C-alpha cells in the first residue's frame, strides 16, 4: 500500500541468493544458507508484495538468478563454480518455489559467470530452464548495467549492438537502470538488420502485458 501510494508498481526484491561464504559482501541482504528456508521466506515475501491480484499489488523481483552468492573467493561479480546437480538442488530451488508457488512476476539475472557464461546472456538459464522447463511467463529484468558489462567486464564483444542482441536472445525484457544496449545501439541494430525485430516484439509483448 505504501509503495503504490508513491506511484511504484515494481520492487527489486526479494534476494533469493543462497549464501555459504560469509566473505561475500552482500550476505546481509539474503535470507541465509538454507534453500528450504529461503524458499519459504522468499515465496511469502513475493506473495506479500504481489497480493492475490497483481492489479492491486506490487510486482516482485526475485534475484539474482542464479548462484550469485557462490562467487569465487567471496568476491562480488566473480565466477561461480557450481555443478549441474548442486545448481538444481541448492541454488535454483528458491527461485522455482517463488515462481511455482508465489506466482512471481519478475526475475533478475546475476552478474557472474557460470562455467564461463555470464548469467545475463545464458540461454540455458534464462530460456531453457526458466521459460521452457518452468513455464515462467513474467519479465526478466537486467541487474544494473548487465548489458554494459557484456562489453566492459565480460568482454564477450566490444560492440553495444552485439551486446543488445545477446541480451535479447537470452530473453532480457527490460534493461535497468538506464539504456546502454536497449537505446541507440538497439535502434541501429534494427536498422542494419543485425538485430531481428522478432526478438524485440517478444520482449515488448511481455512488458506491455505486465503493464496492462
Amino acid at each position: 500500500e505504501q509503495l503504490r501510494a508513491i506511484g511504484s508498481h515494481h520492487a527489486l526484491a526479494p534476494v533469493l541468493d543462497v549464501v555459504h561464504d560469509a566473505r561475500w559482501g552482500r550476505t546481509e541482504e539474503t535470507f541465509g544458507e538454507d534453500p528450504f528456508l529461503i524458499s519459504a521466506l522468499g515465496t511469502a515475501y513475493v506473495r506479500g508484495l504481489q497480493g492475490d491480484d497483481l492489479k492491486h499489488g506490487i510486482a516482485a523481483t526475485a534475484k539474482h538468478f542464479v548462484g550469485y552468492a557462490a562467487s569465487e573467493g567471496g568476491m562480488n561479480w566473480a565466477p561461480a563454480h557450481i555443478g549441474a546437480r548442486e545448481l538444481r538442488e541448492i541454488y535454483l530451488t528458491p527461485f522455482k518455489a517463488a515462481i511455482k508457488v508465489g506466482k512471481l512476476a519478475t526475475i533478475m539475472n546475476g552478474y557472474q559467470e557460470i562455467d564461463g557464461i555470464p548469467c545475463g546472456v545464458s540461454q540455458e538459464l534464462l530460456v531453457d530452464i526458466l521459460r521452457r522447463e518452468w513455464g515462467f511467463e513474467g519479465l526478466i529484468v537486467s541487474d544494473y548495467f548487465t548489458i554494459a558489462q557484456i562489453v566492459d567486464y565480460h568482454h564477450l564483444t566490444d560492440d553495444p549492438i552485439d551486446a543488445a542482441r545477446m541480451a535479447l536472445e537470452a530473453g532480457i525484457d527490460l534493461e535497468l537502470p538506464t539504456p546502454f544496449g536497449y537505446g541507440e545501439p538497439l535502434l541501429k541494430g534494427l536498422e542494419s538488420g543485425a538485430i531481428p525485430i522478432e526478438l524485440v516484439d517478444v520482449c515488448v509483448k511481455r512488458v506491455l502485458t505486465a503493464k496492462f
Side-chain angles (χ1 to χ4, degrees), residues 3-201:
L3 283 164
R4 291 186 71 90
I6 61 171
S8 295
H9 299 276
H10 186 194
L12 303 186
V15 172
L16 300 185
D17 294 311
V18 180
V19 60
H20 292 155
D21 189 340
R23 295 175 299 175
W24 190 60
R26 301 182 65 173
T27 300
E28 80 284 353
E29 296 181 51
T30 74
F31 290 125
E33 63 183 10
D34 179 1
F36 179 81
L37 177 65
I38 297 166
S39 297
L41 291 174
T43 298
Y45 194 117
V46 170
R47 294 174 72 174
L49 267 183
Q50 296 187 169
D52 296 327
D53 184 350
L54 197 54
K55 291 179 181 179
H56 306 294
I58 299 290
T61 306
K63 60 186 192 178
H64 306 83
F65 197 75
V66 60
Y68 182 43
S71 57
E72 183 178 280
M75 295 181 292
N76 204 29
W77 301 6
H81 307 292
I82 305 171
R85 178 193 59 79
E86 189 178 11
L87 181 71
R88 286 187 174 272
E89 289 188 3
I90 304 296
Y91 297 99
L92 285 173
T93 294
F95 292 95
K96 188 175 183 179
I99 290 168
K100 296 293 188 179
V101 180
K103 309 303 179 187
L104 179 71
T106 70
I107 199 164
M108 178 184 282
N109 67 279
Y111 283 127
Q112 90 289 6
E113 302 170 10
I114 296 180
D115 199 22
I117 308 296
C119 293
V121 298
S122 174
Q123 294 185 42
E124 179 182 4
L125 291 175
L126 302 181
V127 179
D128 295 343
I129 293 176
L130 194 56
R131 298 288 191 198
R132 293 174 181 160
E133 186 177 327
W134 292 355
F136 179 66
E137 296 181 348
L139 297 182
I140 300 176
V141 302
S142 73
D143 204 344
Y144 281 24
F145 311 112
T146 287
I147 299 177
Q149 286 184 5
I150 296 171
V151 174
D152 59 30
Y153 181 69
H154 295 293
H155 302 293
L156 296 184
T157 179
D158 58 4
D159 186 352
I161 294 175
D162 244 0
R165 177 186 54 78
M166 291 180 196
L168 286 166
E169 287 176 342
I172 290 187
D173 299 301
L174 187 64
E175 181 179 13
L176 301 177
T178 52
F180 172 84
Y182 288 8
E184 193 66 28
L186 177 56
L187 295 175
K188 290 180 178 178
L190 291 170
E191 290 169 0
S192 69
I195 297 176
I197 189 66
E198 290 80 11
L199 289 176
V200 178
D201 288 342

